[in-house]
Structures are given as structure tokens and as C-alpha cells.
Amino acid sequence: MDFNAAVQRQRDFFRSGQTRPLEFRAAQLKKLSAALDANEKAIFAAVFADLRKSPDQAYASEIGLVQAEIRCALKNLKRWASPKRSSTPLLVSPARGRVQPGPFGVCLIFSAWNYPVQLLLAPLVSAIAAGNCCVLKPSELAPKTAEVMAMLIKQTFAEDYICVVNGAVDVAENLLRERFDKIFFTGSTNAGRAVMKAAANHLTPVTLELGGKCPAVVCSDATVELAAKRIAWGKFLNAGQTCVAPDFVLVQRGLRDAFLRAIQTSVLLFYGEDASKSPDYGRIVNRRHFDRVMKFLVEGKVFIGGKCDPDNLFISPTVLTDLPDDCAAMTEEIFGPVLPVVEFDHLDDAIRILKDRPAPLALYLFTNDKTTEQTLLENIPSGGVCINDVISHMVGTGLPFGGVGASGMGAYHGRTGFDSFSHHRTIVRKATWLDLPFRYPPKKIELDALKRAMRFMLRG
């Protein structure tokens, strides 16, 4: 594909003004929803081939979340796109101010392989709602899903409005040489740096949804069985290949043994004696990632799990204990079904451990004490937080989802996604019937009087 020509066609289509009417945007969202319904079986088959996700899991974690974004956008589009009145200071009176959301233009969306439908199409919903054109780049590591996404988009939209570009790293690098008006990237922190560097060449605004080691802190007053059950679910969902999965657990001393037993019980309840036979347990995406995850198993002690089948890219739900602080399992993002569990004595010790790390995409705290909760929130930055749960902070259209620092910048979902793909332009309409001489030279008053006047005339 001639990327320059493809981007230019989309730019021409955007400049024609066809994407701006709300009726057009709503119609495209409805077409996307219908296409998801019509291609549901093909999507299920592709996601199963790439990640061994069951249809139930594929709908709950992929299609269902995108459909929820579409419904939310259709319901609220008119309100989101309406200009908002804004006050103006006396200094510019008589005048009226407003803030008008408008589309950026041609957007580039990169998705990750672990949720290859949701992470591609949820940002697309926001981009369509905001009135943009889009080039989509699915991950080549989920090739079957990438093929289905390309087919679905081609059948649904004109290429000069929305198109899919498939390929490996060289394709992504070539795309990034083009000038886009907005880039939305989901992936690793290192790849995010490369995207941001490329975007800087054109001063293109970016939203980066990255990763990091998301900690779960289980305090002595937590409901231990429930904490273990929820952590086990969040960790081993999609075989641990979830950006907001708990990546390690800090459990208060004296609670460790009960927590480990409860984790063991939960894994048995979820997946049975042999997780390889469970229809609800996924596989590692490819051999390279399988080998990467396996290296963590040589550290510490295996409490449960540790079984693997390289031919089927299977690694059982695994819990590690007795780990040194500087081992790979405690310093690198695991992104697989391996859960390190480490003890701490006092909350200050847990805070000390977490403060030395980059800000994670999610922070999970299990406690029933409000003071403990507030202390941790005040001391540990993160993209999002769940108290006594995991992952639930990212599934609602009313809850902005995004990272901070090394875990990303910007956010999306619902209204926040619309705003992420919109430029909010300030517009001031100045009256012509009065023109005060105050601001024009030559100087009218002394400096001290000017300072007093400015304090008064610039009040919000």
C-alpha cells in the first residue's frame, strides 16, 4: 500500500466535511455495530485460533465491550458534541465565550494482540463519534483476528474514511513516517516510546495505553478468601495476558498461608485439576512469549502450577513464593499466568516497595480500613485503582481508563474517549458596540493601578 496516498485520500475526505454532521457519525456507529453482529462467528473463530478464548470470553472481553461503547456514544453524541458556554473576564467584555469540540482529522490507531478486537475497535468508536477518519493497524501477533478485522472494516466503510493496514513492525514504522493528526497506541512501554518519538517529528498528539507491573496489596484486615478469588480471576484471565492483570501480590505477614490456600482453591474451582482441559483457560500467543514467560519459573518456589506444554503454548496457572527482590519476576512485567506472592510487615514497607517502581497502569488494594486505603492512595500513583477488586475500573463507559508516567498518557472510554479524539477549541465572540480604550497604547494608568485593575478584571 502507498501509505502517503492512503493518508492523503482520507485527508481529502475529511476536508470535504462529510464526517462532521452528527447524523453521519451516528450512522457509521450503527454500521459498525451491525457488522459486529453479522461477523460474530468469524470473530469468535479468529480469537479462539489466536488466543484460545472461548466464545463466552470473546464476547464478554471483546465484542460486548465495543458494543457498550457504541451504545454509549449513540446515546450521548449530541450532548458531547455541543459547544459549552464559558465565562469571560471583564477585561474582554462585552464578549461571550464557548468551547467547541471538533475532530482532529486523520487518526492512526495501533492495537495490541491480547484483546485484538476490543483494543482496536473501542478507540475507533471514539474516533468515529468525534468525527475523524482513521487508519487502523491491528497487531500482527493475532493474525487471524487481524484478517477478520480487515475484512469487517473493508465491508463496512469506504477506505477513504476508515481502512485497515496489516503487517509487521516494518509496516508500523512506515506508517509512523506519515503525518497524522492524532495517534492512539496500545502496547508495550518500549514501543510507546518509539511511537511518541515518531509522533514528535510531526508534533502529532498521542494517547498511549501502555502497561507495567500492576501490584495487588492484601492487608491483614482484608477478606482473604474473596481477595484471593478476585486476584486469581484477574490474573489468570486470558492466561495472564491482560495489561491490568495483577502482576504481583504483596500480602501482609501472617496472612500469606491463608491467602495461598485460598488462591489454590480458586484456581481449582475455575479451571479444574488440569487447566489444559478447561474451555475457559487460554494459551500464550506465540512461542517467543511462551519462552519469555517460562524464564520466570526458575525463580523462587512454585507453590501451585508450573506445568507447561510448549507444543500447545500452555502454561498452567502458577503462583511463586520466596522470591528475591531483584529477580526478573519482581522487576519485569510478566504478562502471563505467573503470579509472584511476597510478604510485607507494615503498610510503610509496602509503600516503600511500590514507591521505588514506575507508576503502574492499575493499583489493587484489599482492605476494609479507610485510613489504610487513603494512605496508599496518597502515596502511590497509578493509572487507575480498585479497592477490594481487580480490573473492574476499566470496563465502564463512565470510567476514564488510562495510565500515568511509564504506564501511559491520556485516557479513553465513553465521554473521555470522545474528548481524546477531539480538539476543544476556545471561541470568543466580542461585541462591536463598545471598545474600551484601556488596553490600547499609550499608557493610561501607572503600574500599581494597572496591577489592581488586572486583579479585578481577570477574576474567574
Side-chain angles (χ1 to χ4, degrees):
M1 178 183 289
D2 184 339
F3 296 140
N4 182 266
V7 172
Q8 187 58 52
R9 285 194 298 270
Q10 290 206 355
R11 198 171 304 286
D12 291 342
F13 184 78
F14 175 76
R15 288 173 176 169
S16 74
Q18 294 181 61
T19 69
R20 288 184 174 273
L22 300 189
E23 296 80 9
F24 175 86
R25 306 184 201 182
Q28 308 316 305
L29 291 172
K30 291 174 183 176
K31 286 170 65 175
L32 179 59
S33 178
L36 285 170
D37 288 339
N39 291 278
E40 190 173 90
K41 289 183 179 180
I43 293 171
F44 288 161
V47 174
F48 183 85
D50 287 331
L51 291 159
R52 192 68 181 274
K53 284 187 186 180
S54 68
D56 289 348
Q57 289 183 336
Y59 189 84
S61 67
E62 305 269 13
I63 298 174
L65 296 181
V66 177
Q67 292 283 27
E69 289 287 337
I70 293 172
R71 290 191 298 271
C72 179
L74 288 171
K75 179 181 178 181
N76 296 287
L77 182 56
K78 184 177 180 179
R79 179 168 58 87
W80 293 347
S82 297
K84 305 297 185 294
R85 289 284 300 272
S86 181
S87 62
T88 56
L90 287 173
L91 185 63
V92 299
S93 293
R96 290 183 177 180
R98 70 181 189 273
V99 177
Q100 175 71 62
F104 280 112
V106 180
C107 303
L108 174 61
I109 297 175
F110 287 101
S111 76
W113 52 264
N114 54 326
Y115 291 89
V117 177
Q118 179 212 146
L119 297 180
L120 184 73
L121 299 187
L124 176 62
V125 171
S126 298
I128 291 173
N132 298 282
C133 296
C134 284
V135 175
L136 307 179
K137 171 59 178 72
S139 172
E140 70 277 10
L141 299 187
K144 297 298 184 182
T145 309
E147 289 176 9
V148 171
M149 291 295 98
M151 177 270 295
L152 182 151
I153 294 298
K154 188 171 184 178
Q155 290 178 351
T156 308
F157 304 109
E159 289 190 348
D160 56 357
Y161 174 45
I162 298 171
C163 70
V164 171
V165 176
N166 276 324
V169 175
D170 59 321
V171 171
E173 291 173 345
N174 287 330
L175 275 173
L176 285 170
R177 294 189 180 100
E178 301 300 325
R179 181 176 69 84
F180 289 91
D181 302 302
K182 169 78 180 188
I183 297 175
F184 189 105
F185 173 83
T186 303
S188 70
T189 300
N190 286 337
R193 291 190 181 99
V195 169
M196 192 170 183
K197 184 177 180 180
N201 292 326
H202 299 292
L203 296 179
T204 301
V206 297
T207 296
L208 301 177
E209 298 296 343
L210 309 177
K213 291 186 73 65
C214 301
V217 182
V218 182
C219 298
S220 58
D221 67 312
T223 308
V224 65
E225 292 82 6
L226 186 61
K229 184 178 181 181
R230 291 176 176 175
I231 289 171
W233 169 78
K235 177 60 181 180
F236 301 120
L237 175 71
N238 199 29
Q241 299 166 121
T242 303
C243 58
V244 290
D247 211 60
F248 66 101
V249 179
L250 300 179
V251 59
Q252 197 150 15
R253 196 172 301 278
L255 205 64
R256 191 192 84 149
D257 291 346
F259 177 79
L260 290 173
R261 288 193 299 270
I263 281 272
Q264 188 173 31
T265 299
S266 295
V267 170
L268 187 64
L269 177 67
F270 295 161
Y271 308 115
E273 293 282 356
D274 185 355
S276 68
K277 297 178 180 178
S278 170
D280 299 311
Y281 189 73
R283 298 294 184 269
I284 306 303
V285 67
N286 58 29
R287 185 57 189 259
R288 180 173 67 85
H289 279 283
F290 177 90
D291 293 339
R292 180 189 59 79
V293 174
M294 284 299 298
K295 76 177 183 181
F296 298 114
L297 299 187
V298 303
E299 303 171 324
K301 295 180 180 179
V302 175
F303 176 75
I304 62 169
K307 298 178 181 178
C308 67
D309 179 356
D311 293 336
N312 290 302
L313 300 176
F314 168 79
I315 300 175
S316 64
T318 300
V319 174
L320 301 178
T321 63
D322 303 295
L323 290 151
D325 293 341
D326 60 349
C327 70
M330 290 301 294
T331 56
E332 300 176 18
E333 185 176 8
I334 294 173
F335 219 70
V338 178
L339 181 65
V341 176
V342 176
E343 286 185 292
F344 70 93
D345 289 309
H346 304 289
L347 187 62
D348 287 346
D349 299 318
I351 290 172
R352 194 175 305 113
I353 292 170
L354 298 178
K355 269 189 170 180
D356 291 337
R357 299 170 178 270
L361 188 56
L363 170 65
Y364 304 124
L365 174 61
F366 290 83
T367 181
N368 292 303
D369 184 80
K370 292 289 187 182
T371 301
T372 298
E373 173 185 325
Q374 193 60 33
T375 299
L376 201 71
L377 292 179
E378 289 176 352
N379 283 277
I380 307 301
S382 67
V385 179
C386 285
I387 309 298
N388 295 320
D389 200 7
V390 299
I391 298 181
S392 59
H393 67 293
M394 68 159 291
V395 298
T397 55
L399 298 170
F401 173 71
V404 62
S407 60
M409 62 177 64
Y412 72 124
H413 290 175
R415 172 63 186 264
T416 306
F418 175 89
D419 289 341
S420 179
F421 282 93
S422 300
H423 168 60
H424 293 260
R425 181 161 60 165
T426 295
I427 302 169
V428 173
R429 178 182 289 276
K430 179 83 169 179
T432 59
W433 55 269
L434 180 64
D435 191 31
L436 297 174
F438 176 79
R439 62 180 177 178
Y440 299 113
K443 180 180 73 172
K444 306 293 190 300
I445 57 176
E446 296 301 319
L447 181 58
D448 286 343
L450 175 64
K451 290 178 179 179
R452 291 192 298 271
M454 292 287 284
R455 281 196 294 268
F456 174 73
M457 298 184 75
L458 288 177
R459 287 187 300 181

